[in-house]
Amino acid sequence: MAVEVQPPRKARPVNLNLMTIHQPVTAVVSILHRLSGMILFLCIPLLLWLFGASLSSPDSFASIHTWLSKISVKFMIWVILSALIYHGFAGIRHFIMDFGFGESLKSGRIGACLVILFSLIFAVFLGIRLW
Amino acid sequence: MVKSVSSLTQSGVRDFLLQRVSAAYMAIFLLGFVCYLFFDPITDFYSWHLLFESVFIKAAVFFFFLSLMIHAWIGVWMVATDYLKDNILRLMFLILVMGILLVSLVWAVAILWGR
């Protein structure tokens, strides 16, 4: 089969500024998976501090309880747990794709939209529960 | 083939598998833990303390933190190798991350068994 050799086009549009490129939903889901993972990594010391203080004495358990009841702390915990929820759903999508489902362009987009949808629903429910 | 000396297992496939196995364990552990607390809510220090007296729970929590450290290392390593192109900077960053993860693991063991 003859391969048509096209002459190189001059003045190709070059656009490497990521901020001006419209990202597909799959790309957004992927970068948010990384971002939420980094946020969760940074929260490991906070988790260990809370875990240790809650177990060390009744007084520190009570002070943790009081601290967690503050509205600003509750909001911070909500943000962290929402990142965990999102990271979890995006991870489940990875598992499903590892088994060969949802790998086409269309089903990949549907899966990415479902990750965002489920995360939003669970984050709202968590917010109501924490309130 | 050039292998990355800083990757956890020196093998992309093994890193990939460890990432999945640790994720699955953490997901199952967290779902179980949340379900347990949902049906038997703990509001006082003594029942909370008693819960973590059990060797079974201690081991399960230890494996959770071990999975967390492995999972976080592979994840942060992948992100760092993608975005930090300067070798010295990336190595410094990864050494710092490894330090944080190792201290965190020792901290978790100290909380579980050092009381």
Side-chain angles (χ1 to χ4, degrees), chain A residues 37-111:
Chain A
M38 286 306 290
I39 291 171
L40 293 171
F41 163 69
L42 293 173
C43 291
I44 292 174
L46 175 72
L47 170 70
L48 282 165
W49 173 68
L50 280 175
F51 184 51
S54 73
L55 282 172
S56 65
S57 72
D59 284 346
S60 62
F61 183 90
S63 63
I64 291 287
H65 201 271
T66 317
W67 188 68
L68 286 175
S69 319
K70 281 189 197 170
I71 228 62
S72 55
V73 177
K74 268 191 182 178
F75 180 72
M76 184 183 72
I77 297 294
W78 176 75
V79 170
I80 295 169
L81 289 180
S82 297
L84 178 65
I85 288 168
Y86 176 82
H87 198 81
F89 278 120
I92 290 169
R93 177 167 172 261
H94 263 297
F95 266 95
I96 293 169
M97 290 173 90
D98 286 344
F99 286 99
F101 301 103
E103 287 180 323
S104 72
L105 183 60
K106 195 182 169 205
S107 56
R109 278 189 188 140
I110 293 170

Side-chain angles (χ1 to χ4, degrees), chain A residues 14-40:
Chain A
V14 177
N15 189 353
L16 293 178
N17 183 355
L18 289 174
M19 294 301 148
T20 65
I21 299 172
H22 176 72
Q23 301 289 345
V25 64
T26 42
V28 174
V29 163
S30 174
I31 199 68
L32 283 177
H33 194 192
R34 293 190 150 195
L35 186 70
S36 58
M38 286 306 290
I39 291 171
L40 293 171

